[in-house]
Amino acid sequence: MLNTANGLKLSILEFVHIYNGTEATESLQNVTEMVQLAEQWGFNRYWFAEHHNTKNLMSTSPDLLSLHAAAHTKSIRVGSGGIMLPNHSALKVMENFTLLEGLYPGRVDLGIGRASGTDGRTMWALLRSQELMEVNDFPEQLDNLLSFFARNFKENHPFSSIHPPGDSSMVPDMFMLGSSEGGLHFALEKGLGFVFAAHLAPQLAIPVLRAYRSNFKPSYCLTEPQSMLATIVITAETEEEAKYIAGPAELMWAQMSTGTKNLTFPTPEEAKNHTYTPHEELARERNKDRFVIGSVGQVAEQLRQLAKASLVDEIMIADFYPNQESRKKGHELLAKELGLSQGNK
């Protein structure tokens, strides 16, 4: 783990946005550049989300993107934020992340989500079974996943005769993701790390993260509590510039909140010139707590306060910058402001 001057670590959650006027291949090239710069600037982790049937996001396969990111870096941790377990076989997830851990030991994280991360029809296509869509078997899936990693199925379990290659040392660091008390329950029950998506449920973030710290019990996965707060962070040299750069993300979230789907990521100028409908304006106001926006000094202080209030020592930045240049500049400014590179020396 990094040891920054003020104790606050930063990580990045990548969605692989296809920006307005760009191609998917360019977005993938942006990932290669960004993860190398993030490592250089002292970020702790670089995670990939899982989304499907969203034409402006290329992050459909966090495991493959993690492999690519690890192959192009030397030390930064990589992983999923997260693998949406309902879309997958527990055995296949275990096999993929065992391979990743074997290839890049000590650098791989497996963030686990309880939702499908997509719509019902796409989930049907992923599962290949309409019947499975009606089954809530996440607790069983999670048990199976952990037992495959630990190789500790009971003798009478139908999977006890399955022997994946590798051994129990080839296990990534595991985190439960959540935006409610449901994710907290599983993190505490299984003794996993916990990441709260404050950009999805900002009012719950602090009480739920504090409850995790207070109630954690050690497990074979983790001896001490390990928690992060994830939120959308957009910064620049001045507050005015940051607000301008944040315009596209604020507009997208306002439109998503009013039911619009498959939105094109607008440019900052398009967002600036957009006339909000009354419903969009109301959603924009309600969404304010999903974002941390301001000059680099303002943002750094807000993140310190969030970390202190939620008892975390790491913030995961949900990356919603409108283009590659603004996010490179924003991440670098914040890394320097918080002294991240000092932790790598």
Side-chain angles (χ1 to χ4, degrees), residues 302-331:
Q302 286 184 66
L303 295 184
R304 289 189 191 101
Q305 292 302 320
L306 274 174
K308 182 178 180 181
S310 57
L311 305 180
V312 304
D313 63 1
E314 187 165 354
I315 299 287
M316 176 73 68
I317 296 172
D319 195 324
F320 275 86
Y321 283 92
N323 52 53
Q324 183 77 344
E325 288 308 309
S326 64
R327 75 168 178 158
K328 282 163 55 178
K329 186 175 180 181
H331 290 325

Side-chain angles (χ1 to χ4, degrees), residues 136-151:
N136 179 18
D137 61 352
F138 178 82
E140 182 182 354
Q141 281 184 292
L142 183 59
D143 284 343
N144 289 342
L145 178 67
L146 298 177
S147 291
F148 276 126
F149 274 122
R151 292 162 170 79

Side-chain angles (χ1 to χ4, degrees), residues 240-258:
E240 182 182 11
E241 185 184 359
K243 288 180 176 178
Y244 176 71
I245 291 169
E250 290 185 300
L251 175 56
M252 278 189 70
W253 278 81
Q255 291 180 328
M256 285 191 294
S257 298
T258 56

Side-chain angles (χ1 to χ4, degrees), residues 242-318:
K243 288 180 176 178
Y244 176 71
I245 291 169
E250 290 185 300
L251 175 56
M252 278 189 70
W253 278 81
Q255 291 180 328
M256 285 191 294
S257 298
T258 56
T260 308
K261 299 183 183 299
N262 279 329
L263 296 160
T264 300
F265 207 113
T267 66
E269 198 62 22
E270 287 170 340
K272 180 182 177 182
N273 295 328
H274 177 78
T275 301
Y276 277 71
T277 68
H279 287 300
E280 288 173 350
E281 191 59 56
L282 183 61
R284 183 187 193 184
E285 186 65 27
R286 288 176 175 169
N287 285 341
K288 280 188 174 179
D289 289 344
R290 301 183 192 275
F291 301 89
V292 178
I293 300 166
S295 70
V296 65
Q298 292 170 330
V299 165
E301 182 56 30
Q302 286 184 66
L303 295 184
R304 289 189 191 101
Q305 292 302 320
L306 274 174
K308 182 178 180 181
S310 57
L311 305 180
V312 304
D313 63 1
E314 187 165 354
I315 299 287
M316 176 73 68
I317 296 172

Side-chain angles (χ1 to χ4, degrees), residues 99-303:
L99 282 171
L100 279 169
E101 181 64 27
L103 288 166
Y104 301 99
R107 292 182 57 196
V108 177
D109 298 325
L110 171 55
I112 303 161
R114 296 187 300 136
S116 67
T118 191
D119 60 276
R121 190 171 294 273
T122 307
M123 188 179 181
W124 176 12
L126 288 165
L127 294 173
R128 300 182 299 128
S129 167
Q130 203 167 6
E131 290 71 29
L132 284 175
M133 293 171 58
E134 308 302 322
V135 178
N136 179 18
D137 61 352
F138 178 82
E140 182 182 354
Q141 281 184 292
L142 183 59
D143 284 343
N144 289 342
L145 178 67
L146 298 177
S147 291
F148 276 126
F149 274 122
R151 292 162 170 79
N152 65 354
F153 282 108
K154 294 180 179 178
E155 285 188 15
N156 62 350
H157 193 282
F159 296 161
S160 62
S161 61
I162 298 175
H163 303 291
D167 58 59
S168 57
S169 69
M170 297 164 67
V171 178
D173 283 7
M174 286 187 274
F175 295 82
M176 190 69 216
L177 310 185
S179 56
S180 68
E181 292 184 357
L184 171 66
H185 165 76
F186 286 105
L188 292 174
E189 181 186 354
K190 304 301 179 185
L192 301 174
F194 183 55
V195 185
F196 191 89
H199 54 295
L200 299 182
Q203 287 76 26
L204 290 176
I206 289 171
V208 170
L209 283 163
R210 292 180 74 93
Y212 169 77
R213 284 276 170 174
S214 299
N215 296 286
F216 178 84
K217 293 180 177 59
S219 70
Y220 91 91
C221 295
L222 200 60
T223 57
E224 295 181 349
Q226 193 171 3
S227 55
M228 288 179 262
L229 182 149
T231 193
I232 300 169
V233 177
I234 297 178
T235 192
E237 289 180 345
T238 67
E239 182 179 6
E240 182 182 11
E241 185 184 359
K243 288 180 176 178
Y244 176 71
I245 291 169
E250 290 185 300
L251 175 56
M252 278 189 70
W253 278 81
Q255 291 180 328
M256 285 191 294
S257 298
T258 56
T260 308
K261 299 183 183 299
N262 279 329
L263 296 160
T264 300
F265 207 113
T267 66
E269 198 62 22
E270 287 170 340
K272 180 182 177 182
N273 295 328
H274 177 78
T275 301
Y276 277 71
T277 68
H279 287 300
E280 288 173 350
E281 191 59 56
L282 183 61
R284 183 187 193 184
E285 186 65 27
R286 288 176 175 169
N287 285 341
K288 280 188 174 179
D289 289 344
R290 301 183 192 275
F291 301 89
V292 178
I293 300 166
S295 70
V296 65
Q298 292 170 330
V299 165
E301 182 56 30
Q302 286 184 66
L303 295 184

